[in-house]
Amino acid sequence: MAATSAAVLVVPTAQAASPDAAPRAAAASVSCQAGGTAQFSPGLTPVPVPRDTNVQYNGRDHSCTGATAKGSEIATATFNGSFNVPMSCEVGGSSTPATGSGTVTWKTKEGKTLKSSLSLTITGQMFNTAKVDGNVTDGAFLGGKIHGDFQVDLVKEGVNCAAQAFTGGLRQANYDGSFTINA
């Protein structure tokens, strides 16, 4: 009996894209260091009963790693945020998360400036630390999620807090930390 063999030739065929399928944007992720000055209004006093306080994080430029969906590498970012929470020099925050807003100003390695607007939820014992989660609502990384961890050393600033109690309280302290945005 003679053996026979057959070769099968497979030719790829082009498939038409579904008209309902929109092209997906490339994923983007960036991680940055952060820091600057936290300002308190009204100033924090040593009275253990907290009072409603507006906290403003005014950032300075810090280094980043990552890129936008279009491939622009991010060199630095400045994080700014604002929220209201009950605070004193000894107590910060409440069991209810605070909401706030923020912005990030980005500088790419190509020298371009980009901006992002943020809606934020702040949790944690805001006396020393704040965990920040939220969404990018406008600008670069639109639709992305932000997560950050920030520290304000109010224990160290406690001496200043007591000394400034008669002049309206502690109005500012340094903050530092880091944040990540994934879009």
Side-chain angles (χ1 to χ4, degrees), residues 6-85:
V8 177
L9 179 62
V10 177
V11 178
T13 59
Q15 294 182 358
S18 165
D20 295 333
R24 291 186 59 118
S29 179
V30 64
S31 296
C32 303
Q33 295 300 308
T37 304
Q39 295 182 318
F40 311 104
S41 178
L44 303 180
T45 59
V47 177
V49 177
R51 60 184 175 174
D52 287 336
T53 305
N54 176 260
V55 180
Q56 296 276 338
Y57 282 173
N58 298 309
R60 292 186 298 271
D61 229 15
H62 283 78
S63 64
C64 297
T65 58
T68 67
K70 293 182 180 181
S72 293
E73 286 190 56
I74 301 295
T76 63
T78 301
F79 176 88
N80 295 301
S82 176
F83 57 94
N84 294 305
V85 65

Side-chain angles (χ1 to χ4, degrees), residues 85-141:
V85 65
M87 289 189 81
S88 73
C89 290
E90 299 166 15
V91 177
S94 69
S95 59
T96 305
T99 57
S101 61
T103 60
V104 178
T105 302
W106 312 94
K107 292 184 184 164
T108 69
K109 290 189 176 179
E110 297 86 23
K112 293 182 182 174
T113 300
L114 308 171
K115 292 194 180 210
S116 297
S117 297
L118 313 168
S119 95
L120 304 172
T121 300
I122 299 90
T123 58
Q125 181 194 9
M126 290 166 240
F127 173 63
N128 287 313
T129 64
K131 293 194 179 300
V132 175
D133 290 288
N135 299 303
V136 178
T137 59
D138 194 28
F141 301 99

